[in-house]
Amino acid sequence: MKFIGSLVAVLLLVLLAYLGVGVAGLRELFGVVLPYVSVVVLLLGIVWRVLCWAKSPVPFKIPTTCGQEKSLPWIKQNKLDNPSNGLQVVGRMILEILFFRSLFRNTRMDFRGGEEKVVYGPSKWLWIGAIAFHYSFLVVFFRHLRFFSEPVPWLVKLTQDVDGFFQLGVPAFYITTFVFIGAVGYLLLRRLFIPQLRYISLVNDYFPLLLLLGIGTTGFFLRHLFKTDVVAIKELALGLVSFGPKAPVEASWLFYCHLFLVCVLFMYLPFSKIMHLAGVFLSPSRNMPNNNRAVRHVNPWNYPVKVHTYEEYEDEFREKMYAAGLPVEKTPEQAAAEKSAGDNGDDASSGTDNKE
Amino acid sequence: MAEPSFDSMDYYKKDELLEVDHKPPRTSWMKTPVEFRPGTWIYPTKAKHLEYLGMPNPRDWSPTDEDWKLPDNWQEIIFNGMRERLDKYRSFKVFMDICVRCGACADKCHFFIGGGDPKNMPVLRAELIRSVYRKDFTTAGKLLGRMVGARKLTYDVIKEWFYYFYQCTECRRCSVFCPYGIDTAEITMMGRELLHELGLGVNWAMEPVANCFRTGNHLGIRPHGLKDTLEFFAEDIEEATGISIDIPMNKKGAEVLFITPSGDFLADPGTYTCMGYMALFHEIGLDYTWSTYASEGGNFGLFTSHEMIKRLNAKMYAEAKRLGVKWILGGECGHMWRVVNQYMDTMNGPADFLEVPKSPITGTVFENAKSTKMVHIMEFIADLIKHGKLKLDASRNDHLKVTFHDSCNPARSMGILEEPRYVLKHVCNNFYEMPENTIREQTFCCGGGAGLGTDENMEMRLRGGLPRGSAVKHVQDKYGVNTLATMCAIDRATLQTVCDYWAPGVGVSGITEMVANAMIMKGEKKRKLNFRLEPVWGDPDEDEEG
Ligand code: HEM
Ligand code: SF4
Ligand code: SF4
């Protein structure tokens, strides 16, 4: 149901692009206005969301430790899984962000019941799928820079050449295109066919995947199935980045559809779970060193709380403590004498709030 | 013989418990209401404890009642409580926003593994709150509702929260596997804080909290009672070793204040570990003291609210200051060390009246504890052994085949993994690890932490204990393991049940107990009894001179 809904939503977007450009001829809107709007929404949206998170303080240092901590000098610390200083945290974060360290750890439960009951095996599929998806996405994104630059930077050219290395087809197929579509397809299929995963999935999960699939396939069609005037499109792109947009080109509605879906992705991104791309940097269980006992962490809103002081405690148990021979601050006689004096004067032994 | 009742483990048939269906039901989770089945939920807090602690809405009620007697404006209270916490904790806010529902955490929770209830997948546990967050705090949720996973906060949602936030032991195993480190334990902590604002909590956690606030320890042992207890232990030590030892209590000017969970005063086998501490400190001549006021290492505040953590934890530093000690030594405990490591200094520090801990026996300075000024007993003992300060005869533990259970908090909120292993390997000759994916940072919870270890919750404890129990059974079958060593007071109480059920024949032991048994004490008599006063090294009735 949620899948169908998301699929319908993406198809509606495609239809919208077709009606907008193919029928109504709103090239100005789809080729100039929306791209600008979407980039502004994307950038401001991300900044706004990150600021929102950053506004909330981090009251406690709560890293999830995944290895031996730094302790005695002769005990080997696991610096990357249990960092004890800023540099090691950077190391841990690099592993997380570039290599999806935690996902790499993934295991799969195999519930057998009987004598063996439960065993756990490594499970790398999600990691492979996620890595394939993210890196192919990155490369595809990067390759697009050839439309937005003149001359094309050498690194972009190189990427393109390596990517099209096999020289199959005219124009050459890019490996990453297939990896991208394959990986997104895999992520989608596992969502649909693993029962637990389908159970937890929301429109918020299907929609972005289908949107990405839409972007990928329209892109593929543009390059390989339909004749597309690449020169005209590059002109449009260069115009957009130089803030002097040319009159929108006579490109096929499919191109505008591709562009439109990307615009939707940009506008959707800051308000969706894809914000994990920024959130992961702010995750307190990963981005803090586990050096709590050596370096005090300050909580900006630490407030006094009601505690039970030793004086109150001794007042309650003094007789018993004294009788048992436990040391006391005041003997029962002293306390009694003070009490009778205090009944006349003011009581100085209040104070239930502890410091700071 | 009477039929066993639901709070006894005999009530549950193994093969029935093992019939776990991990496939989710047909109805979507939002439309599946909770069912309060006996054995899967915990009795609510008694009114008198909430009153004593000055917490909201004290009253008597039961989760099986239709009416939970919530305050009239309960929705407003939750809404405000959520907003306050979103503004105060970046963790909560970020974790509400960035989950991609990849499912990596799903089969990592012991309650899901052993029970199959989809709402015990960490991701869904978090969604219980996240769905309400979407409705109240995000525009998309307000506009699109159900479609984007948002739902209204209803009475049933509160019931669901109560049920599932007390089916999470805050063990953080899920957090290890999440690509963003989303920590469902943190979300559970927020959920429980919110529930407490409505007066919803469990007695198994809150009675200890109230006790601890008043008497200094969870069990409500009064000062003179503690003295009696320790004297009783000293007698047993003397019977086993022939050595009479001192019991310094509330002693001003001692060098070290020693604090351990009160479970070790009352419940076997924790008591033997407590005797182990006493014998050890006597043997090395440590100038230390017990405290009756700070007579609790554990902190059930951790299972209640951040404020309650601070209220209970304050005693440690306050007492260290009053007694004028130089530093604090902490015993074997799990959640205590989460509090000491991750909260104490921030909440109640800086402890500038203490000194950087230095072992008076070896001269080692514990740089890693230079701010908190509190050292873990395993660090302390490992250092003693490394410097050859203990005379150990590991063969005294030869009747034990030992495996080690990493407790959740020391493993995932601290990372003290090697010290206990180092110590164990020096005090016993037969040590075997459980399978790789069930130890160290991937260790499985005992199933009874975070205030869940009570008998009326027996079904969930056995289910949650299955992954650990199954790993123990594995080494029992393979190597003949008969002892599960662990450095946590809750574990010592809960894991015995788990072992009796899933790996019968395996006993639970603290580490210091094993250290003390292996330790050759100056002037000891020919040892025949261990600290449990069991004749493991010969017939005690046999004549000494023989
Ligand atoms: C530490 C870094 C990151 C990790 C560990 C990570 C991990 C993941 C995972 C596990 C998924 C879920 C796939 C699924 O099951 O549906 C995902 C989806 C996605 N990620 Fe990332 N990601 C990271 C950074 C990024 C970055 C930098 C981007 C940049 C655009 C990004 C964009 C996306 C997109 C577009 C999706 C697919 C949409 C979806 O499934 O909803 N991610 N990521
Ligand atoms: S592993 Fe993390 S991101 Fe994935 S479903 Fe679980 S909590 Fe969400
Ligand atoms: S913290 Fe532990 S008990 Fe709670 S959801 Fe995560 S794995 Fe389960």
Side-chain angles (χ1 to χ4, degrees):
Chain A
M1 194 43 228
K2 287 165 186 146
F3 171 73
I4 305 282
S6 311
L7 186 64
V8 169
V10 173
L11 291 177
L12 278 179
L13 290 173
V14 173
L15 184 68
L16 203 62
Y18 174 71
L19 292 178
V21 179
V23 178
L26 299 170
R27 298 207 158 73
E28 196 80 38
L29 178 64
F30 282 84
V32 179
V33 178
L34 270 178
Y36 276 130
V37 171
S38 66
V39 170
V40 169
V41 171
L42 175 73
L43 296 180
L44 290 185
I46 293 182
V47 170
W48 178 70
R49 289 300 302 273
V50 170
L51 287 180
C52 267
W53 287 330
K55 215 172 66 205
S56 299
V58 181
F60 303 108
K61 213 191 294 181
I62 51 164
T64 306
T65 58
C66 300
Q68 171 63 36
E69 72 172 346
K70 179 175 181 344
S71 59
L72 295 162
W74 48 271
I75 288 180
K76 193 167 174 300
Q77 179 200 355
N78 183 337
K79 295 191 169 112
L80 290 171
D81 289 324
N82 192 343
S84 61
N85 60 38
L87 196 69
Q88 293 167 10
V89 168
V90 171
R92 184 182 201 186
M93 291 305 286
I94 287 178
L95 280 188
E96 287 292 357
I97 286 160
L98 297 185
F99 303 105
F100 300 3
R101 167 81 179 98
S102 294
L103 212 50
F104 188 73
R105 231 183 242 126
N106 201 8
T107 58
R108 209 180 51 112
M109 165 201 45
D110 184 2
F111 196 90
R112 301 186 179 164
E115 273 306 296
E116 277 185 278
K117 301 188 182 86
V118 227
V119 293
Y120 318 87
S123 164
K124 301 278 183 259
W125 286 109
L126 178 58
W127 181 81
I128 293 172
I131 284 277
F133 161 68
H134 285 88
Y135 276 95
S136 59
F137 188 48
L138 182 70
V139 173
V140 170
F141 188 80
F142 191 66
R143 277 203 272 103
H144 279 74
L145 292 181
R146 74 182 184 281
F147 296 120
F148 295 91
S149 54
E150 189 57 54
V152 179
W154 66 270
L155 199 59
V156 176
K157 277 202 191 120
L158 181 72
T159 312
Q160 226 171 297
D161 291 344
V162 173
D163 205 350
F165 176 74
F166 289 112
Q167 297 284 335
L168 289 173
V170 183
F173 289 110
Y174 290 126
I175 302 163
T176 46
T177 310
F178 292 101
V179 176
F180 178 79
I181 294 176
V184 175
Y186 165 72
L187 293 177
L188 196 58
L189 289 178
R190 78 185 266 287
R191 236 177 236 299
L192 283 170
F193 288 104
I194 299 178
Q196 290 90 355
L197 214 61
R198 190 171 57 229
Y199 200 64
I200 60 174
S201 292
L202 306 168
V203 169
N204 323 17
D205 305 308
Y206 292 117
F207 177 71
L209 283 171
L210 287 163
L211 190 62
L212 288 165
L213 208 56
I215 293 172
T217 35
T218 48
F220 179 81
F221 287 165
L222 278 177
R223 186 170 166 85
H224 300 288
L225 294 186
F226 294 82
K227 279 259 174 297
T228 309
D229 185 353
V230 179
V231 178
I233 288 172
K234 177 148 186 177
E235 217 169 288
L236 173 70
L238 281 174
L240 285 171
V241 287
S242 60
F243 296 106
K246 302 275 186 321
V249 286
E250 284 292 326
S252 63
W253 74 270
L254 191 69
F255 163 71
Y256 282 100
C257 181
H258 184 66
L259 184 61
F260 179 56
L261 292 182
V262 173
C263 292
V264 172
L265 178 68
F266 281 9
M267 290 189 286
Y268 174 73
L269 191 148
F271 312 99
S272 72
K273 68 170 195 181
I274 309 175
M275 274 308 287
H276 67 271
L277 69 99
V280 61
F281 290 92
L282 279 84
S283 176
S285 69
R286 289 289 184 272
N287 72 3
M288 306 184 92
N290 175 43
N291 59 357
N292 302 49
R293 281 194 292 156
V295 182
R296 180 168 184 254
H297 179 79
V298 176
N299 172 3
W301 50 258
N302 199 12
Y303 58 93
V305 297
K306 191 170 170 354
V307 300
H308 194 61
T309 62
Y310 177 79
E311 289 70 29
E312 290 168 312
Y313 169 86
E314 193 182 294
D315 282 347
E316 182 172 353
F317 296 111
R318 178 171 296 112
E319 318 282 330
K320 294 277 179 17
M321 290 172 76
Y322 190 71
L326 287 166
V328 283
E329 297 282 330
K330 296 173 201 162
T331 60
E333 294 85 66
Q334 284 169 330
E338 261 180 44
K339 185 150 188 304
S340 58
D343 282 345
N344 309 325
D346 53 343
D347 183 10
S349 68
S350 67
T352 41
D353 284 12
N354 78 335
K355 66 201 156 22
E356 196 234 353
Chain B
M1 211 175 95
E3 280 287 300
S5 106
F6 73 93
D7 55 4
S8 135
M9 78 180 197
D10 303 325
Y11 179 82
Y12 301 93
K13 307 248 170 344
K14 243 189 234 174
D15 35 344
E16 279 172 25
L17 278 197
L18 278 172
E19 258 171 43
V20 184
D21 186 5
H22 292 94
K23 285 223 174 50
R26 293 196 153 273
T27 48
S28 94
W29 64 265
M30 283 194 200
K31 291 184 188 144
T32 314
V34 280
E35 177 205 343
F36 284 87
R37 187 170 77 246
T40 67
W41 55 274
I42 303 165
Y43 300 141
T45 320
K46 295 196 179 108
K48 61 176 180 187
H49 301 313
L50 292 182
E51 259 156 31
Y52 178 70
L53 291 163
M55 290 175 67
N57 201 12
R59 75 218 176 283
D60 287 311
W61 65 287
S62 165
T64 50
D65 295 345
E66 193 67 37
D67 178 7
W68 284 16
K69 302 182 195 157
L70 302 184
D72 290 335
N73 60 338
W74 60 272
Q75 276 162 313
E76 186 190 335
I77 294 175
I78 295 287
F79 176 80
N80 291 338
M82 274 180 82
R83 186 167 51 200
E84 182 191 336
R85 284 166 185 83
L86 289 164
D87 289 343
K88 278 164 95 172
Y89 297 88
R90 187 181 300 165
S91 51
F92 189 34
K93 209 163 170 184
V94 170
F95 294 164
M96 283 296 104
D97 282 330
I98 63 173
C99 171
V100 299
R101 283 160 301 281
C102 67
C105 57
D107 61 354
K108 305 302 179 285
C109 180
H110 46 283
F111 286 119
F112 178 67
I113 295 173
D117 184 337
K119 287 179 200 170
N120 275 327
M121 294 192 272
V123 46
L124 264 199
R125 198 188 308 287
E127 289 283 319
L128 299 180
I129 262 192
R130 200 177 276 126
S131 51
V132 173
Y133 163 80
R134 289 197 190 99
K135 184 81 191 168
D136 287 342
F137 296 92
T138 71
T139 321
K142 277 179 197 145
L143 295 178
L144 302 173
R146 278 265 163 119
M147 220 171 85
V148 291
R151 65 170 174 174
K152 249 173 72 95
L153 177 64
T154 62
Y155 220 93
D156 283 337
V157 169
I158 295 292
K159 293 187 172 179
E160 197 178 45
W161 284 8
F162 180 78
Y163 191 68
Y164 289 103
F165 291 137
Y166 286 95
Q167 282 190 9
C168 168
T169 47
E170 303 180 359
C171 77
R172 306 186 101 196
R173 189 169 193 267
C174 44
S175 167
V176 168
F177 295 91
C178 173
Y180 322 112
I182 293 176
D183 180 8
T184 307
E186 182 82 357
I187 295 171
T188 293
M189 286 163 77
M190 297 299 160
R192 290 189 181 184
E193 283 196 11
L194 292 169
L195 289 170
H196 275 296
E197 302 227 342
L198 303 180
L200 303 172
V202 299
N203 202 57
W204 186 253
M206 296 314 288
E207 183 164 324
V209 166
N211 278 340
C212 191
F213 197 70
R214 172 160 173 246
T215 64
N217 59 74
H218 290 154
L219 297 170
I221 306 171
R222 292 155 204 226
H224 45 293
L226 182 56
K227 184 159 186 268
D228 289 347
T229 302
L230 296 180
E231 279 170 355
F232 177 75
F233 290 165
E235 282 167 22
D236 279 1
I237 293 173
E238 183 159 4
E239 188 177 344
T241 65
I243 296 170
S244 123
I245 64 166
D246 288 338
I247 310 166
M249 293 183 79
N250 296 355
K251 176 177 145 196
K252 285 198 174 176
E255 184 167 355
V256 175
L257 168 62
F258 180 68
I259 302 180
T260 198
S262 63
D264 290 352
F265 301 140
L266 206 72
D268 299 344
T271 46
Y272 311 121
T273 290
C274 191
M275 290 160 64
Y277 301 135
M278 296 165 75
L280 173 73
F281 298 155
H282 169 88
E283 176 64 18
I284 61 176
L286 186 70
D287 176 18
Y288 83 109
T289 182
W290 297 88
S291 161
T292 58
Y293 170 63
S295 47
E296 179 61 63
N299 188 329
F300 275 26
L302 182 68
F303 315 144
T304 309
S305 68
H306 286 85
E307 180 170 311
M308 196 54 79
I309 302 177
K310 182 169 170 175
R311 286 175 70 179
L312 298 185
N313 173 261
K315 285 182 186 164
M316 288 197 187
Y317 279 154
E319 184 69 338
K321 191 168 185 175
R322 185 183 76 86
L323 295 175
V325 300
K326 289 186 178 157
W327 54 278
I328 310 174
L329 183 61
E332 296 182 19
C333 186
H335 74 287
M336 154 183 177
W337 277 98
R338 169 140 209 222
V339 172
V340 169
N341 190 44
Q342 299 199 322
Y343 297 106
M344 174 157 88
D345 202 2
T346 300
M347 286 178 167
N348 291 311
D352 38 23
F353 48 88
L354 297 175
E355 292 174 17
V356 177
K358 180 176 169 187
S359 169
I361 318 300
T362 64
T364 299
V365 177
F366 293 90
E367 290 288 342
N368 60 330
K370 65 174 182 252
S371 179
T372 301
K373 278 102 171 176
M374 186 148 174
V375 174
H376 193 291
I377 187 77
M378 282 303 128
E379 294 169 334
F380 185 72
I381 296 180
D383 176 65
L384 289 174
I385 295 178
K386 182 79 178 172
H387 286 84
K389 298 292 180 189
L390 295 182
K391 241 174 113 186
L392 296 169
D393 176 2
S395 70
R396 282 192 188 174
N397 282 321
D398 271 354
H399 56 296
L400 306 179
K401 290 196 188 324
V402 183
T403 189
F404 176 60
H405 162 74
D406 289 277
S407 308
C408 308
N409 287 297
R412 287 186 282 261
S413 299
M414 189 170 176
I416 177 164
L417 307 175
E418 295 303 336
E419 288 90 341
R421 287 178 167 79
Y422 179 85
V423 172
L424 276 174
K425 285 172 189 166
H426 280 83
V427 300
C428 72
N429 291 319
N430 313 307
F431 178 74
Y432 307 93
E433 290 278 16
M434 284 181 277
E436 196 187 5
N437 292 319
T438 71
I439 54 170
R440 296 178 183 263
E441 75 276 6
Q442 299 196 17
T443 188
F444 275 109
C445 184
C446 60
L452 271 54
T454 173
D455 286 350
E456 74 261 21
N457 194 34
M458 188 53 82
E459 180 180 338
M460 286 321 288
R461 283 176 61 191
L462 295 178
R463 289 188 181 283
L466 167 66
R468 175 40 80 226
S470 164
V472 174
K473 183 81 170 67
H474 177 82
V475 284
Q476 184 187 26
D477 292 346
K478 197 161 165 188
Y479 307 110
V481 160
N482 59 12
T483 301
L484 179 64
T486 178
M487 48 170 193
C488 168
I490 293 184
D491 279 334
R492 284 193 281 270
T494 57
L495 276 176
Q496 193 55 64
T497 308
V498 168
C499 288
D500 287 346
Y501 194 83
W502 295 115
V506 177
V508 177
S509 170
I511 301 180
T512 310
E513 179 191 347
M514 290 175 58
V515 172
N517 275 326
M519 185 170 68
I520 300 171
M521 296 176 76
K522 288 183 278 291
E524 70 179 17
K525 66 178 185 194
K526 186 164 172 358
R527 292 287 301 273
K528 289 182 176 169
L529 298 173
N530 65 8
F531 281 94
R532 301 189 181 199
L533 302 187
E534 294 162 346
V536 285
W537 302 308
D539 184 353
D541 296 330
E542 221 170 82
D543 194 76
E544 280 289 312
E545 266 67 45

